[in-house]
Amino acid sequence: MRPLLLAAALALPLMAAAAPDEDLLGKNGYAPCKDVLASLSSEACIVWVMSHYQEIYPAHKVKKGAAPRELKRSSAPAPVDVDAFLDKNRNTGLLIMSGDTVLAERYQYQRTAEDHFVSMSMAKTLIGMLIGVALNEQKIRSIDDLAEQYVPELKGHPYGQTPIRHLLTMSSGVKFDEIYGGDSDFMRMANATLFQKGPAGAAAVLPYTQRVAEPGKRWSYSSAETFVLGLVLRGATGRSVSDYLSEKIWQPM
């Protein structure tokens, strides 16, 4: 009986009551949405899309280690009112950890722990960590090196002439509109890369040539800065970002 009781006790925290706007978000099956561009603006598609990116867009796999690390689960109440938070927010998954211990784990909208979820801008933190690894391994000599020293295609370009340090802090000074829609700089770069409708690699950022501030003088949130850092990593290590991430961070974890 004990193993069954334990399994039941662990399963209870993973169950959720009614989530906000379930019907609006496609509760009747959360059906696949094959029109990718339309699905990004359709609330009825967004739950499915956000947990199936790896099926929609071409992607490199970040390989896991041979023996996953065992995680502990706390039997104590969560440090926050998880139910109250999920009742008010459109969260497909919520995980709270401290060290190697799971304090709370809950899912909504028929998602489970087996689903993949989009990391969004957490990828920016991972890129920053990998720059640190490459620096420690002396594959990058200094964060004061210019990006063009590792990405020859950007030689003479404002991004190429920006020190890695200021790309890490999103203060390149290069004009880039981080607007998620319309004909913005972000959408043009996304069309070229994520949607594969234009040149990839360094060519994807070549159109952004207007420098509005000296490097390090003005902060502006910009996915292009992280994209250039990914190019720096690839040039410095001679490897894909996914393979480098797998070996240096994900498998050890």
Side-chain angles (χ1 to χ4, degrees), residues 134-218:
L135 188 69
N136 185 61
E137 294 184 335
Q138 299 184 326
K139 296 183 184 299
I140 293 175
R141 291 179 294 276
S142 168
I143 57 171
D144 290 313
D145 285 351
L146 300 181
E148 66 183 24
Q149 294 174 238
Y150 302 91
V151 190
E153 302 95 320
L154 292 179
K155 190 170 181 62
H157 188 276
Y159 277 131
Q161 295 178 331
T162 298
I164 294 170
R165 176 188 300 277
H166 300 313
L167 292 168
L168 285 166
T169 56
M170 293 192 178
S171 57
S172 72
V174 179
K175 182 180 180 298
F176 184 88
D177 298 323
E178 186 86 8
I179 300 171
Y180 308 122
D183 189 36
S184 67
D185 295 335
F186 175 86
M187 290 307 299
R188 284 196 295 272
M189 190 178 79
N191 278 323
T193 55
L194 184 62
F195 303 141
Q196 295 198 320
K197 293 186 176 182
V205 294
L206 290 181
Y208 314 113
T209 58
Q210 184 180 354
R211 190 182 287 284
V212 295
E214 289 301 307
K217 297 297 184 181
R218 182 186 298 181

Side-chain angles (χ1 to χ4, degrees), residues 13-16 73 78-87 89-97 102-109 111-113 117:
L14 306 184
M15 298 167 62
R73 290 189 178 272
V80 296
D81 191 337
V82 174
D83 289 335
F85 178 81
L86 292 177
D87 285 345
N89 293 277
R90 292 176 169 186
N91 279 68
T92 48
L94 177 65
L95 178 69
I96 304 174
M97 291 184 66
V102 177
L103 305 183
E105 182 177 6
R106 290 279 300 278
Y107 300 94
Q108 300 192 124
Y109 307 108
R111 303 304 96 178
T112 72
F117 296 94

Side-chain angles (χ1 to χ4, degrees), residues 227-244:
F227 185 81
V228 174
L229 286 172
L231 297 175
V232 168
L233 273 171
R234 189 174 67 179
T237 65
R239 304 176 63 188
S240 69
V241 172
S242 55
D243 284 349
Y244 199 55

Side-chain angles (χ1 to χ4, degrees), residues 112-134:
T112 72
E114 300 304 313
D115 285 301
H116 290 112
F117 296 94
V118 183
S119 69
M120 293 298 188
S121 287
M122 286 193 293
K124 294 179 170 66
T125 299
L126 293 172
I127 292 292
M129 292 166 67
L130 290 174
I131 291 288
V133 173

